[in-house]
Amino acid sequence: MPTYRAPIRDFQFALKEWLNIEQYSGKVSGFEDLSFMDAVLEEGAKYCEEVLFPLNQLGDEQGLKHVKGDDGFNKVILPDGWKEAYDQYVANGWGSFACDTAYGGQGLPNVLNTPFIEMVCSSNLSFGLLPGLTHGAYSALHHFGSDLQKAKYLGKMSTGEWSGVMCLTEPQAGTDLGLITTRAEPQSDGSYNITGTKIFISYGEHEAVPNIVHLILARLPDAPAGVKGISLFVASKYNVDDNGEMGTRNNIDCGSIEHKMGIHASPTCVMNYDNAKAWLVGEPHKGLKAMFTMMNEARILVGIQGLGIGQVSYQNALAYAKERLQGRALNGAVFPDKKADPITVHPDVRRMLLTMRSFAEGGRILALWIALNVDLEQRLEDGDAKQEAEDFVDLMTPIVKAYLTEGGTTMASLAVQTHGGYGFIKEYGVEQYMRDCKITEIYEGTNGVQALDLVGRKMPQATGRLLRRFFHPAQQFVDENKDNEALSEFTKPFYQGLKSLRQASLWIAQKALANKEEAGAASVDYLRMFSLVAIGYIWAKSAKIAVEKLAQGTDEKEFYETKMATAKFFLNKILPEHFSLLAKITAGAKYLEMPDVKVA
Amino acid sequence: MPTYRAPIRDFQFALKEWLNIEQYSGKVSGFEDLSFMDAVLEEGAKYCEEVLFPLNQLGDEQGLKHVKGDDGFNKVILPDGWKEAYDQYVANGWGSFACDTAYGGQGLPNVLNTPFIEMVCSSNLSFGLLPGLTHGAYSALHHFGSDLQKAKYLGKMSTGEWSGVMCLTEPQAGTDLGLITTRAEPQSDGSYNITGTKIFISYGEHEAVPNIVHLILARLPDAPAGVKGISLFVASKYNVDDNGEMGTRNNIDCGSIEHKMGIHASPTCVMNYDNAKAWLVGEPHKGLKAMFTMMNEARILVGIQGLGIGQVSYQNALAYAKERLQGRALNGAVFPDKKADPITVHPDVRRMLLTMRSFAEGGRILALWIALNVDLEQRLEDGDAKQEAEDFVDLMTPIVKAYLTEGGTTMASLAVQTHGGYGFIKEYGVEQYMRDCKITEIYEGTNGVQALDLVGRKMPQATGRLLRRFFHPAQQFVDENKDNEALSEFTKPFYQGLKSLRQASLWIAQKALANKEEAGAASVDYLRMFSLVAIGYIWAKSAKIAVEKLAQGTDEKEFYETKMATAKFFLNKILPEHFSLLAKITAGAKYLEMPDVKVA
């Protein structure tokens, strides 16, 4: 019953008009020839709409099976059609799109791969985790692996012929990785024997690929306590020799799979390592740093998962609302010839639809903006521009992760609400989006952890240098456009938001010097305010583009008028939340007391 | 894994200290002897904690079966233990608690029954729908049925020996009941033959009781089109003779049951009526009014469902957060002897817990406040006080329904978030609360419909007379306490909220005169603002009680200090949302445009 059409025109607006990625053509490697962009969007859309999307409800309904295999190891059976869809993914070269050409990759820009990732997440989030996690593991090995390790694993991982997983969490060690107890014993051949149990390992075991590469955090015998004693290891389901050939089965077993609220088709595995053969990646006791590299990429990906769910939720809500005839407009029938008006005549239904639309279209630009900066960070020569790109990525990663995931669940909930009682029925598909999306607010660092990262690490870093990467372009936009009457409905509310964000930033920076609890108490409200002001900037600039196009004359009048209307909505009906957030932030930590709970 | 303990001390605070229901003793019938209150709370708690709660996860997991019976009719099989739990409910007299003594009821106050309803909803929402809907059907028949109809059905319905259902919705007619097509043909014996299909009928068919009474909206042959042509009928699964004896099977069949996001153990039935024998209730074509009487009661009940879910979510989140050791407090270890601090040391975890706590405890008083006014409305002699009670109930019903249900889902989502990855796992139980609660935002009138009811019907009624029922006591509280320094942390933010609510009310009242769309555009934000200010009043008054108790000296110091801290939190960290809501409300309908969708 639900439908999905990739928002190709909107990707083009974001890439060509808002980000103007063609400006990097000839200046940044990988951006030489962007002529294939439309074809990539269309091919990606075709695969997602026709292959992945039809499997989404089936996967939710059918779920997974955990069975004993002939070899004595447990197996996880994916839903019908999963392996075929994945084989097609690999054969089409989607996995290797943004990977290093030295290891079989196509070396294409991340920003051109990101629309495809969004489409995958809209179509089938459970499926999307498999290539997503593989790419994260690929990146960590690419950054920190030895030449031999890269040669052994990366070729197969970049294409997706083998998948990869990140193995961090243990029952007692989630956010606090310092509590990890999995052990690594050095062996005479230079390898290590890993013993311990990891939980919440997505696709830790499955049958869509012949081999699975595990990146595992564990402790060496001489490891110091806490996070300074964690090392990173690579192991694989089947051991791989120095020529990259698969050999004996490693002692890695999936003990069980979790029964979850959503992403029913993505196996969440308890993984048992019983003297599993593994190799140290990078230096001893420096595993956390490597894991964080992988984690930062993963956090952006998770943000895009929320965006993808927001997009498909919005689309289905809009389609339903246009068709559903019920009641009459408050000022009288709009379609007197029909038995009732479509529910879009009701202002509050439009409020819900515009909330979803402004989230999806604004969030899309945010995601592509950070993706572009990942490219610039990776591809530019050393210098200011590279540093600025890196600063932008560091600053915006927690925002992209937390805002887009919380937004995804909220939009799914609004989509259910727009459907009325039908939204609660499985057949209509939108309730699955709400169930699937909730985990994105939690994994790869809960949204509370993201907010602490923003106020505790990113804000104070280099005495606030990272903040400039948002405040500079935002202020410049205001300066350039504040006298433009045609834009005042956009620039005025945006400037108010920016003012609140400045005040909040200053308040937190000052208070946190004396008491870190103040930063913690303000963190989630601050991250939300930052996100809303960033999206406000995106909409103000989008409106400017639309105003100019309409002034020039265009045969896409409705498209640009709709952009303007959505910008007005966001800036005047969503962004004003900053007023309250400022009051909440500056109320301070003293209002978070629980006399019945010992906390100091 | 999840737990539930009824919040008995908090019920006592609400009933005895905040509402001071003892003031009605000797003045209002039913309130003569309140000495049994504590015993009722304790007995109710015992039943809910020990009988209903242990069935909740089992019901979610096991779900329902729809099978063909020996008599050719379809049957719905409830989960294991359901019938036994329901029999105990009936035997204990819970069903008849607040029913008319003329029909086997105990005639006790609604306000004393409400804590039990909350406990049922916390323990097992799917179960709670069965007695809840029965009581709604009981009320409609009690109001509008003939003496014979009352004699035939009410005795068995008040005890719960027979259950009752409300049959309104059809596939094309949800919010818009004017589109109903189910027909009623008059028969020579004075009965009617009903033919049509109703959907979303909770407990439309089940085996926990021998007979089910259906209240059905249908059209007579001469019915005018739209809502003015709807009549109310009563039918039953087994026909009942004039002596109240069950006879032949009626032609009412459950075609199928829905597969839903949540409340898996509550059968949501498609009901087919094929010349089913029925009797007209009240006057022809006046069915909607009768249905609304039932609906208003149902809306309050649904609000309490949200409250119940909010309470059990809060409790489980608090219990988990106190036990979960992870990381250290930002200013250094609080429990250096443990491997890590409990996560309650983190300000943002406390923000989540206090959000849930302030919702559950504040919402509880809101629910009991309206419940008390339902009693006063029903039991007082005609006069100002009775009218005021009725006005209060009318005004606050949409607020109780929408705020408490949206809050319930939000609190469940926060409980999942507090649990981290474990929150997403079924075993921990909190994800079920999020799934179960979502429907409460939709059924018995979506929350958008509630908001329209508030701004479109309740606000303008009698030129704003209903509004006084909140504004008068609220202003009086401010006047009496504004010079009390000990209360300024409570009264100041509350007064700001009240000011915003006044401004918003005035703005809507004026704008809506010229354009109803303005009221519609502001409706949901206005309902939320009204709810927050009402809860703000509840917390300000709670704080005053706590301040006085602490000044007098009490052996429950922690209880009252916790009340004060929670009041401070709500008034300074939640209520400030009114600043943004005022900006959004007064932005106006012009920001809800979708140029791509025809709406006028």
Side-chain angles (χ1 to χ4, degrees):
Chain A
M1 287 282 290
T3 55
Y4 175 65
R5 282 274 153 217
I8 290 183
R9 180 64 187 92
D10 210 55
F11 284 125
Q12 291 165 333
F13 177 79
L15 293 168
K16 296 181 191 176
E17 299 172 71
W18 204 98
L19 290 170
N20 182 18
I21 63 166
E22 275 139 348
Q23 68 183 297
Y24 301 103
S25 197
K27 292 183 196 155
V28 180
S29 69
F31 285 74
E32 294 81 4
D33 177 13
L34 298 172
S35 63
F36 63 94
M37 184 170 21
D38 290 346
V40 163
L41 292 174
E42 274 155 31
E43 279 306 305
K46 199 163 158 358
Y47 171 73
C48 291
E49 292 168 2
E50 294 174 14
V51 179
L52 294 188
F53 184 70
L55 295 175
N56 188 48
Q57 275 187 299
L58 176 148
D60 181 62
E61 188 66 30
Q62 205 174 81
L64 302 153
K65 286 188 204 74
H66 180 258
V67 296
K68 182 69 88 178
D70 296 336
D71 58 2
F73 289 95
N74 292 309
K75 303 203 300 186
V76 172
I77 311 297
L78 296 171
D80 296 344
W82 234 245
K83 182 171 165 43
E84 294 73 10
Y86 187 74
D87 287 347
Q88 208 172 325
Y89 183 97
V90 172
N92 290 353
W94 292 116
S96 62
F97 192 96
C99 292
D100 189 345
T101 50
Y103 301 100
Q106 300 172 62
L108 294 166
N110 183 46
V111 71
L112 292 186
N113 196 32
T114 297
F116 178 69
I117 296 175
E118 184 202 305
M119 295 185 233
V120 170
C121 296
S122 285
S123 305
N124 195 325
L125 184 56
S126 282
F127 179 93
L129 264 70
L130 173 54
L133 289 163
T134 301
H135 196 265
Y138 159 91
S139 291
L141 260 189
H142 189 262
H143 269 87
F144 296 98
S146 66
D147 288 343
L148 177 60
Q149 288 167 348
K150 292 191 206 180
K152 280 168 68 172
Y153 303 107
L154 288 190
K156 291 280 200 289
M157 288 174 79
S158 73
T159 58
E161 287 166 272
W162 296 352
S163 68
V165 285
M166 309 171 41
C167 309
L168 291 71
T169 306
E170 300 177 10
Q172 79 293 349
T175 299
D176 189 352
L177 292 171
L179 299 175
I180 278 176
T181 59
T182 294
R183 305 184 316 274
E185 295 283 340
Q187 304 299 304
S188 54
D189 64 350
S191 72
Y192 294 80
N193 277 1
I194 302 251
T195 300
T197 295
K198 297 285 180 180
I199 63 167
F200 297 162
I201 309 306
S202 298
Y203 285 96
E205 172 56 30
H206 65 99
E207 304 270 300
V209 292
N211 206 5
I212 301 171
V213 179
H214 296 239
L215 286 168
I216 308 159
L217 290 186
R219 291 187 182 285
L220 291 166
D222 62 343
V227 291
K228 288 177 182 159
I230 299 171
S231 305
L232 182 64
F233 298 86
V234 59
S236 47
K237 180 174 170 182
Y238 288 92
N239 290 305
V240 177
D241 69 20
D242 290 354
N243 301 318
E245 297 298 322
M246 271 170 59
T248 53
R249 182 65 157 87
N250 206 348
N251 219 351
I252 297 177
D253 195 26
C254 173
S256 61
I257 55 174
E258 308 287 355
H259 300 279
K260 310 185 298 290
M261 179 182 203
I263 54 168
H264 288 169
S266 166
T268 303
C269 303
V270 174
M271 296 304 303
N272 296 320
Y273 303 87
D274 181 10
N275 284 313
K277 193 178 193 68
W279 306 89
L280 182 68
V281 178
E283 291 173 60
H285 316 319
K286 302 283 186 199
L288 205 68
K289 193 175 165 240
M291 202 45 99
F292 261 104
T293 303
M294 187 153 133
M295 185 83 91
N296 278 332
E297 179 183 322
R299 286 176 174 179
I300 297 172
L301 172 66
V302 171
I304 297 168
Q305 294 176 351
L307 170 64
I309 295 290
Q311 167 65 29
V312 72
S313 298
Y314 153 61
Q315 253 184 39
N316 281 281
L318 179 61
Y320 180 84
K322 282 162 120 174
E323 294 291 319
R324 176 69 172 171
L325 305 181
Q326 206 76 181
R328 291 295 184 188
L330 293 168
N331 287 334
V334 175
F335 295 88
D337 52 320
K338 292 186 178 168
K339 287 207 164 177
D341 286 338
I343 59 172
T344 47
V345 301
H346 295 293
D348 192 65
V349 171
R350 293 202 302 281
R351 182 192 60 82
M352 295 195 284
L353 295 171
L354 283 162
T355 302
M356 293 181 252
R357 174 181 282 181
S358 62
F359 169 80
E361 297 182 5
R364 173 168 301 123
I365 291 175
L366 180 67
L368 291 167
W369 194 10
I370 201 170
L372 172 64
N373 278 277
V374 169
D375 284 319
L376 297 177
E377 175 191 356
Q378 288 172 354
R379 292 164 188 262
L380 288 175
E381 302 292 319
D382 286 350
D384 287 352
K386 187 189 183 78
Q387 184 63 52
E388 286 177 10
E390 189 183 320
D391 286 357
F392 183 86
V393 172
D394 286 350
L395 175 66
M396 299 306 276
T397 295
I399 289 169
V400 164
K401 196 283 182 183
Y403 173 73
L404 292 180
T405 58
E406 189 184 331
T409 310
T410 304
M411 302 313 138
S413 183
L414 283 175
V416 171
Q417 197 70 24
T418 307
H419 278 73
Y422 292 109
F424 200 65
I425 306 296
K426 284 184 176 289
E427 189 186 347
Y428 284 76
V430 284
E431 62 85 35
Q432 183 187 345
Y433 301 139
M434 200 174 153
R435 289 186 290 105
D436 281 359
C437 201
K438 183 63 201 173
I439 190 60
T440 67
E441 298 178 52
I442 296 169
Y443 58 25
E444 310 303 350
T446 65
N447 287 358
V449 167
Q450 304 303 318
L452 276 183
D453 180 46
L454 179 64
V455 299
R457 285 201 204 100
K458 305 302 171 61
M459 234 179 109
Q461 201 171 315
T463 54
R465 190 187 71 210
L466 273 54
L467 290 177
R468 286 179 228 154
R469 298 281 52 81
F470 175 72
F471 279 102
H472 279 191
Q475 185 60 47
Q476 198 187 335
F477 181 85
V478 172
D479 293 342
E480 284 171 13
N481 299 292
K482 65 176 184 296
D483 300 326
N484 186 341
E485 262 310 305
L487 293 178
S488 68
E489 235 171 338
F490 311 101
T491 49
K492 276 185 190 162
F494 169 62
Y495 190 56
Q496 284 181 323
L498 191 61
K499 223 169 83 181
S500 286
L501 184 61
R502 242 186 253 288
Q503 284 177 263
S505 305
L506 201 65
W507 189 92
I508 293 172
Q510 288 173 341
K511 289 282 176 180
L513 287 178
N515 180 6
K516 288 181 186 167
E517 292 271 320
E518 290 290 353
S523 60
V524 163
D525 288 330
Y526 180 72
L527 184 145
R528 176 145 183 95
M529 187 197 267
F530 207 134
S531 309
L532 292 174
V533 176
I535 302 287
Y537 172 67
I538 285 166
W539 275 116
K541 191 173 153 182
S542 296
K544 187 184 177 182
I545 294 167
V547 166
E548 287 170 359
K549 286 273 174 169
L550 288 163
Q552 286 159 21
T554 166
D555 52 7
E556 293 184 306
K557 202 157 164 274
E558 188 181 279
F559 178 82
Y560 290 106
E561 282 176 349
T562 300
K563 280 280 175 221
M564 276 180 62
T566 311
K568 273 186 211 172
F569 167 79
F570 185 86
L571 291 161
N572 293 283
K573 296 283 281 182
I574 300 285
L575 182 59
E577 201 183 320
H578 69 83
F579 293 115
S580 299
L581 290 167
L582 186 62
K584 292 178 191 186
I585 288 166
T586 56
K590 65 177 178 294
Y591 293 118
L592 296 177
E593 280 174 16
M594 302 180 80
D596 54 328
V597 178
K598 181 178 184 314
V599 296
Chain B
M1 286 283 289
T3 56
Y4 176 65
R5 283 273 152 216
I8 290 184
R9 180 66 187 89
D10 210 54
F11 285 125
Q12 291 165 333
F13 177 79
L15 293 168
K16 296 182 191 176
E17 298 171 69
W18 205 97
L19 291 172
N20 182 20
I21 62 166
E22 275 138 351
Q23 68 184 295
Y24 301 102
S25 196
K27 292 182 195 155
V28 181
S29 69
F31 286 73
E32 293 82 4
D33 177 14
L34 300 171
S35 63
F36 63 93
M37 184 172 16
D38 290 344
V40 163
L41 292 174
E42 274 155 34
E43 279 307 305
K46 199 162 161 345
Y47 171 73
C48 291
E49 291 169 3
E50 294 174 14
V51 179
L52 294 188
F53 185 70
L55 295 175
N56 188 48
Q57 275 187 300
L58 176 148
D60 181 61
E61 188 66 28
Q62 203 173 82
L64 303 152
K65 286 187 205 75
H66 180 257
V67 295
K68 182 69 89 180
D70 296 336
D71 58 0
F73 288 96
N74 292 309
K75 303 203 300 185
V76 172
I77 311 296
L78 296 171
D80 297 343
W82 234 246
K83 180 167 166 45
E84 293 73 11
Y86 186 73
D87 287 346
Q88 208 172 323
Y89 183 97
V90 172
N92 289 352
W94 292 115
S96 62
F97 192 96
C99 291
D100 190 344
T101 50
Y103 300 99
Q106 301 172 61
L108 294 167
N110 182 46
V111 71
L112 292 187
N113 195 33
T114 297
F116 178 69
I117 296 175
E118 185 202 305
M119 294 186 235
V120 170
C121 295
S122 285
S123 304
N124 195 327
L125 183 57
S126 282
F127 180 93
L129 265 70
L130 173 54
L133 289 163
T134 300
H135 195 265
Y138 159 90
S139 292
L141 260 188
H142 189 261
H143 269 85
F144 297 97
S146 66
D147 287 342
L148 177 61
Q149 287 167 348
K150 291 191 206 182
K152 279 169 69 173
Y153 302 107
L154 287 190
K156 291 280 199 288
M157 288 174 81
S158 73
T159 58
E161 286 166 272
W162 295 353
S163 69
V165 285
M166 308 170 43
C167 309
L168 291 72
T169 306
E170 299 177 11
Q172 79 293 348
T175 298
D176 189 352
L177 292 171
L179 300 175
I180 278 177
T181 60
T182 294
R183 306 185 315 273
E185 296 283 341
Q187 304 300 304
S188 54
D189 65 350
S191 73
Y192 293 80
N193 276 1
I194 301 254
T195 300
T197 294
K198 296 287 179 179
I199 63 167
F200 297 163
I201 310 305
S202 297
Y203 285 96
E205 172 55 29
H206 65 98
E207 303 270 301
V209 291
N211 206 4
I212 301 171
V213 179
H214 295 238
L215 286 168
I216 308 160
L217 290 186
R219 291 187 182 285
L220 292 166
D222 61 343
V227 291
K228 288 177 182 159
I230 299 172
S231 305
L232 182 64
F233 298 86
V234 59
S236 47
K237 181 174 169 182
Y238 287 92
N239 290 306
V240 177
D241 69 19
D242 290 354
N243 301 318
E245 298 297 322
M246 272 169 58
T248 52
R249 182 67 159 86
N250 206 348
N251 219 353
I252 298 176
D253 196 26
C254 173
S256 62
I257 54 175
E258 307 287 354
H259 299 279
K260 310 185 298 290
M261 180 183 203
I263 52 166
H264 287 169
S266 165
T268 303
C269 304
V270 174
M271 297 303 305
N272 296 319
Y273 302 87
D274 181 10
N275 285 314
K277 192 177 194 67
W279 306 89
L280 181 67
V281 178
E283 292 173 59
H285 316 318
K286 303 282 185 200
L288 205 68
K289 193 174 166 240
M291 204 44 102
F292 261 104
T293 301
M294 188 154 131
M295 185 83 91
N296 278 332
E297 178 182 322
R299 285 175 175 180
I300 297 171
L301 172 67
V302 172
I304 298 168
Q305 294 176 351
L307 170 64
I309 295 290
Q311 167 65 28
V312 71
S313 298
Y314 153 61
Q315 252 184 40
N316 280 281
L318 179 61
Y320 181 83
K322 282 162 121 176
E323 294 290 319
R324 176 69 172 170
L325 305 181
Q326 206 77 178
R328 291 296 183 187
L330 294 168
N331 287 334
V334 174
F335 296 87
D337 52 319
K338 292 186 178 168
K339 286 203 166 181
D341 287 337
I343 60 173
T344 47
V345 301
H346 295 292
D348 192 64
V349 171
R350 293 202 301 282
R351 181 191 60 82
M352 294 195 284
L353 294 172
L354 284 162
T355 301
M356 294 181 252
R357 173 181 283 181
S358 62
F359 169 80
E361 297 181 6
R364 174 168 302 124
I365 291 175
L366 180 67
L368 291 167
W369 194 10
I370 201 169
L372 172 64
N373 278 278
V374 169
D375 283 319
L376 297 177
E377 175 190 356
Q378 289 173 355
R379 292 164 187 263
L380 287 176
E381 301 293 319
D382 285 352
D384 286 353
K386 187 188 183 80
Q387 185 62 52
E388 286 178 10
E390 189 183 320
D391 285 358
F392 183 85
V393 173
D394 286 351
L395 174 67
M396 299 306 275
T397 295
I399 290 170
V400 164
K401 196 282 183 182
Y403 174 74
L404 292 181
T405 58
E406 187 184 333
T409 310
T410 304
M411 301 313 137
S413 183
L414 283 176
V416 171
Q417 198 69 24
T418 307
H419 278 74
Y422 292 109
F424 200 64
I425 307 297
K426 285 185 176 288
E427 190 186 346
Y428 285 76
V430 284
E431 62 85 37
Q432 183 188 345
Y433 301 138
M434 201 173 152
R435 288 186 290 105
D436 281 358
C437 201
K438 183 63 201 170
I439 190 61
T440 67
E441 299 178 49
I442 296 169
Y443 59 24
E444 311 302 351
T446 65
N447 287 358
V449 167
Q450 305 303 318
L452 277 183
D453 180 46
L454 179 64
V455 299
R457 285 202 204 99
K458 306 303 171 62
M459 233 178 109
Q461 201 172 314
T463 53
R465 189 188 71 208
L466 273 53
L467 290 177
R468 287 179 226 152
R469 297 281 53 79
F470 176 72
F471 279 104
H472 278 190
Q475 186 60 47
Q476 197 186 336
F477 181 84
V478 172
D479 294 343
E480 285 172 9
N481 299 291
K482 65 176 185 296
D483 299 326
N484 185 342
E485 262 310 303
L487 293 178
S488 68
E489 237 171 337
F490 310 102
T491 48
K492 277 185 190 161
F494 169 62
Y495 191 55
Q496 285 181 323
L498 191 62
K499 223 169 86 182
S500 286
L501 184 61
R502 244 187 251 287
Q503 283 176 264
S505 304
L506 201 65
W507 189 93
I508 293 173
Q510 288 173 341
K511 289 281 175 179
L513 286 178
N515 180 5
K516 287 182 185 168
E517 293 271 320
E518 289 291 355
S523 60
V524 163
D525 288 330
Y526 179 73
L527 183 145
R528 177 148 181 91
M529 187 198 267
F530 207 134
S531 308
L532 291 174
V533 176
I535 301 286
Y537 171 67
I538 285 167
W539 275 115
K541 189 172 155 183
S542 297
K544 187 184 176 180
I545 294 168
V547 167
E548 287 170 358
K549 286 273 176 170
L550 288 164
Q552 286 160 20
T554 165
D555 53 7
E556 293 184 305
K557 203 158 164 274
E558 189 181 276
F559 177 82
Y560 290 106
E561 282 177 349
T562 301
K563 279 281 174 221
M564 276 181 63
T566 311
K568 274 186 210 172
F569 167 79
F570 185 87
L571 291 161
N572 293 282
K573 297 283 281 183
I574 300 286
L575 182 60
E577 202 182 319
H578 68 83
F579 292 116
S580 299
L581 291 167
L582 185 62
K584 292 179 191 185
I585 288 166
T586 56
K590 66 178 177 295
Y591 293 118
L592 296 178
E593 280 172 17
M594 301 180 82
D596 55 328
V597 177
K598 181 179 186 309
V599 296

